[in-house]
Each structure stands twice: as C-alpha cells, then as structure tokens.
Amino acid sequence: MEQLRTLVPLEWCFVWLSAPELDLGNKSLGGQLSPFIGNLSFLRWIFLSDNNFYGIIPNEVSFLFKLETLILANSSFSGEIPTAIGNLLKLETLHLANNHLTGQFPASIGNLSALLLLDVHYNSLSGTIPYSVGELRSLEELGLSGNSIYGMVPPPIFNIYSLTILSLALNRLDGSLPHNICYDLPKLKLFTVYSSNNFSGPLPYSLANTSNRNYFSGFKNLSFLSLSENNLGTGTGNDLHFLTSINCS
C-alpha cells in the first residue's frame, strides 16, 4: 500500500475503473503522470489535486475527447500546458492552480467553448494572454493571478457577460481598464488586478458616479475589488469619489 501511495502507473486504471472518473485527490500520491492516461478514452472526470505529482502534463491528455473536468491543482507539475488542450471540446473545468507550469497559454484554449472555469493561478506562466481566451463566452471563473503574464488584457475578456471571478493580480499586465466595465460584467463577484501589474489611466467612469446615476449599480454582486499598486486615476481628489455611491448587496 505504501508503494501505491508514492507512484501510481495510470495504465493500471483499466483494471481499477468501472466508472468514467478518476478520483485520486489528496491521496499523498507522487511520481509522474503516465502518458498511458491517453488510453482511458471513457474518462469524463479527472481529479488528482492535492498530491505530489511532478513532471509534465502529458500531451496524451488531449486525446480524452469525452473529458469534462480536469483538476490537477496543488501539486508540482511543471513544463507547459499541452498545446493540443483545445481538442477537449467538452471540457467545462480546467483547474491547474498551484503548480510550477511555465511557458505561454496555448491559443487553442479558445476552442473550449463549454469551459466554465479556467484557473491557473500561482504558476510560472509567462507571455501574453491569447485573444482566444476572450472567445470563451460561457466562462464564469478566470483565475490568472500569481504568474508572470505581461501585456494588455485582451478587450474581449471584459465582455464575457457570465464572469463572476476575474483574478489578474500579481502579474506584469498593463494597459487601462475599460470605462464601461461595470455594465459589461454585471455578475462579477471578485475582481483583482493589484500588485506587480502596471495598469494606468483614469479609473473607469462606471465606477465614478459622475452624475446623479448610480454607475456602480452594475457591480451589484461584487464582494471583493482590489485595484491597488497600479497607476490608475488622475491624481485628483475625486478619483475615489465612487466609493460614496457603492450600492452592492
């Protein structure tokens, strides 16, 4: 049993599995993820979070065309996100947070039209955010914090109406925030761009209550907003005037 806890050759799963899911989360497992996982074509759900796996995520994962959930968070995976990940057209959850992944986002992620959650926070990803991420029109949670991603946030991301979480903090992003962000993301509950980023320009007027209208009412579901350690604003005393008109439930 102790040997099983340190290394699991996943080609054995043909014998073990009778259901279309692989749930080995938080089992103190280690070793590398076998490329034979690509032979488990019946899998719809993979949960290997909170273990000690290391090495790359094998590209053979991209052969699991029925896969709906892939959770490999809180481990020690390294290398790049498989470039063919966009083949998983039924994927709804891609959770790779708290690993040691490097390289850029594969643009093929934009093919995952069913994706609801994309979370890669606290890795070592670099490069820019592909514009194709803005094509994920069903996306509800986008977690990119704690990487080394740079450049501008593709404007289409700020138009994903379904977003409830948009976490961009602790990167090297720049550019400005869209002026009508409150209106375009009405379901947003958490929005972070703080620290290490370099956003600049005026605060979005939809935060600023520039007339008698309550412009902040668009963010009616917001419970956490962090814009600190950027270069936002005009340097005048009215920059934070919107705080007086917050009307979030």
Side-chain angles (χ1 to χ4, degrees), residues 86-106:
N87 292 338
L88 305 179
L89 299 182
K90 295 186 177 182
L91 199 65
E92 297 179 353
T93 297
L94 179 59
H95 195 352
L96 307 176
N98 291 303
N99 280 289
H100 305 298
L101 298 172
T102 57
Q104 299 191 48
F105 261 107

Side-chain angles (χ1 to χ4, degrees), residues 20-115:
E21 62 182 50
L22 176 60
D23 185 354
L24 294 172
N26 197 21
K27 301 293 185 184
S28 300
L29 300 172
Q32 299 188 48
L33 190 58
S34 169
F36 284 98
I37 195 171
N39 294 332
L40 307 181
S41 58
F42 51 85
L43 280 179
R44 298 181 184 272
W45 204 87
I46 295 177
F47 181 64
L48 300 179
S49 189
D50 299 288
N51 282 296
N52 298 305
F53 289 107
Y54 61 87
I56 67 170
I57 301 172
N59 196 56
E60 286 78 3
V61 168
S62 304
F63 301 159
L64 303 176
F65 301 119
K66 295 182 180 180
L67 201 62
E68 298 172 2
T69 298
L70 178 59
I71 302 179
L72 305 178
N74 304 321
S75 208
S76 295
F77 287 104
S78 58
E80 299 185 355
I81 299 173
T83 55
I85 196 77
N87 292 338
L88 305 179
L89 299 182
K90 295 186 177 182
L91 199 65
E92 297 179 353
T93 297
L94 179 59
H95 195 352
L96 307 176
N98 291 303
N99 280 289
H100 305 298
L101 298 172
T102 57
Q104 299 191 48
F105 261 107
S108 65
I109 281 181
N111 296 334
L112 306 179
S113 58
L115 204 61

Side-chain angles (χ1 to χ4, degrees), residues 137-176:
R137 309 313 297 176
S138 298
L139 198 62
E140 297 176 358
E141 300 184 23
L142 178 59
L144 307 181
S145 293
N147 285 283
S148 296
I149 303 170
Y150 57 82
M152 295 181 62
V153 180
I157 287 178
F158 292 115
N159 291 319
I160 301 177
Y161 184 86
S162 55
L163 275 179
T164 61
I165 294 177
L166 178 55
S167 182
L168 306 173
L170 296 163
N171 280 290
R172 293 187 288 137
L173 297 164
D174 56 37
S176 59

